[in-house]
């Protein structure tokens, strides 16, 4: 899998990023091993400052049914699954065979296999088939697909539940004119802006943006709303 170049373009001062990554408490045990393995090999996982923040949020929310879109090698999934109660469960989706194999191994090493269901395939095909609801959804997958996936996420998200979307700033280029964006990433730029335009002031949602990593978009569903019109637009 090609490394996302935006991972090396933090949206806050580099010295602040360095400070957070050095001073925030490190993970221990299996999580630390997975994080180190990924960082040493350039495997795309959420950066440490984002992981620490997400770990705190999940610990506070105490969700019982979690959906993750983009498993990678199971780092964020393992971190979230550790907060689940006895009846809690994580459903995670990925389409890359090499990532799926590593994630399964990591879930097993972490003793989390019984709490995790890994759905293998393209999220675009799997999301429409989901017939259960979730308290928390974490999306860290193809950035050009976020806007397309939004209606499916809102359909299966419980009222009062939260959708957290990673990497929404594209290294800060989200604010630039599309004409200034390289053609190969214009679709991502366009779709991310459509996503922002849709959710930031929507009456059925509470939203917040957090400048950690390449940006987190946090969305709380406060009332039902049908977003299926998006699927007709694209």
């Amino acid at each position: 899998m090609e490394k996302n170049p935006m991972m090396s373009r933090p949206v806050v001062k580099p010295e602040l990023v360095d400070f957070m990554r050095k001073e925030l408490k490190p993970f221990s045990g299996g999580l630390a091993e997975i994080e180190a393995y990924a960082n040493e090999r350039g495997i795309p996982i959420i950066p440490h400052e984002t992981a620490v923040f997400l770990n705190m949020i999940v610990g506070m929310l105490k969700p019982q049914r979690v959906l993750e879109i983009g498993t990678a090698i199971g780092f964020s999934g393992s971190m979230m699954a550790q907060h689940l109660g006895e009846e809690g469960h994580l459903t995670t989706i990925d389409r890359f065979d090499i990532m799926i194999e590593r994630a399964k191994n990591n879930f097993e090493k972490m003793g989390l296999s019984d709490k995790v269901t890994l759905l293998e395939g393209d999220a675009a095909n799997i999301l429409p088939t989901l017939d259960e609801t979730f308290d928390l959804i974490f999306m860290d997958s193809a950035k050009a697909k976020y806007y397309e996936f939004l209606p499916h996420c809102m359909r299966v998200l419980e009222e009062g539940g939260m959708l957290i979307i990673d990497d929404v700033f594209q290294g800060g280029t989200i604010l630039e004119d599309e004409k200034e964006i390289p053609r190969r990433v214009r679709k991502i730029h366009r779709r991310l802006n459509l996503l922002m335009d849709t959710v930031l002031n929507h009456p059925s949602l509470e939203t917040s943006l957090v400048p950690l990593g390449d940006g987190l978009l946090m969305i709380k569903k406060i009332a039902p709303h049908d977003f299926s019109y998006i699927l007709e637009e694209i």
Side-chain angles (χ1 to χ4, degrees):
M1 180 186 294
E2 182 182 357
K3 184 176 179 181
N4 180 3
M6 296 304 176
M7 291 178 68
S8 59
R9 296 183 60 180
V11 293
V12 298
K13 292 181 178 180
E15 56 268 33
L16 290 176
V17 174
D18 290 340
F19 175 78
M20 288 188 288
R21 292 183 182 175
K22 291 176 182 176
E23 299 301 328
L24 286 171
K25 185 185 296 184
F27 292 106
S28 60
L31 276 181
E33 293 176 10
I34 299 171
E35 186 179 37
Y37 178 92
N39 289 336
E40 289 167 4
R41 292 162 177 79
I43 297 172
I45 63 170
I46 54 177
H48 186 68
E49 67 275 17
T50 302
V52 170
F53 177 76
L54 184 60
N55 185 56
M56 180 179 290
I57 291 294
V58 178
M60 293 169 61
L61 293 176
K62 301 186 185 305
Q64 288 301 297
R65 297 176 309 281
V66 179
L67 173 64
E68 179 184 45
I69 306 168
T71 313
I73 63 171
F75 173 62
S76 53
S78 294
M79 182 267 291
M80 291 188 290
Q82 286 191 322
H83 290 284
L84 297 174
E86 286 189 13
E87 302 299 320
H89 201 81
L90 168 75
T91 300
T92 184
I93 304 171
D94 210 290
R95 64 189 180 94
F96 294 104
D97 291 341
I98 189 169
M99 294 294 183
I100 290 169
E101 180 181 353
R102 289 172 178 167
K104 286 180 176 179
N105 289 336
N106 284 328
F107 290 140
E108 184 175 353
K109 289 178 182 177
M110 294 285 293
L112 296 168
S113 296
D114 291 343
K115 287 190 170 295
V116 177
T117 297
L118 204 168
L119 302 179
E120 303 178 25
D122 194 323
N125 299 324
I126 293 174
L127 286 172
T129 71
L130 296 178
D131 58 1
E132 59 182 307
T133 58
F134 301 90
D135 308 305
L136 174 67
I137 302 175
F138 179 57
M139 184 154 56
D140 185 12
S141 57
K143 316 313 167 198
K145 294 286 188 178
Y146 285 172
Y147 184 60
E148 175 183 338
F149 291 168
L150 180 67
H152 301 300
C153 291
M154 289 294 108
R155 177 180 65 83
V156 299
L157 185 65
E158 287 275 10
E159 188 172 336
M162 183 174 291
L163 166 62
I164 302 176
I165 307 178
D166 194 29
D167 296 333
V168 294
F169 287 160
Q170 282 291 285
T173 62
I174 190 73
L175 303 178
E176 296 178 7
D177 190 289
E178 185 176 321
K179 296 176 182 178
E180 305 300 320
I181 302 298
R183 288 185 180 275
R184 61 184 176 82
V185 291
R186 282 185 184 177
K187 182 178 180 181
I188 297 175
H189 182 271
R190 188 179 309 118
R191 291 284 181 86
L192 285 176
N193 273 283
L194 283 170
L195 175 67
M196 297 287 192
D197 291 344
T198 301
V199 304
L200 290 185
N201 291 295
H202 198 284
S204 297
L205 308 173
E206 289 182 359
T207 59
S208 180
L209 286 163
V210 183
L212 290 173
D214 192 23
L216 286 174
L217 174 59
M218 304 180 69
I219 305 169
K220 182 179 179 180
K221 181 178 177 179
I222 57 175
H225 185 83
D226 185 3
F227 288 90
S228 61
Y229 67 90
I230 289 174
L231 300 175
E232 300 173 2
E233 292 178 355
I234 57 179

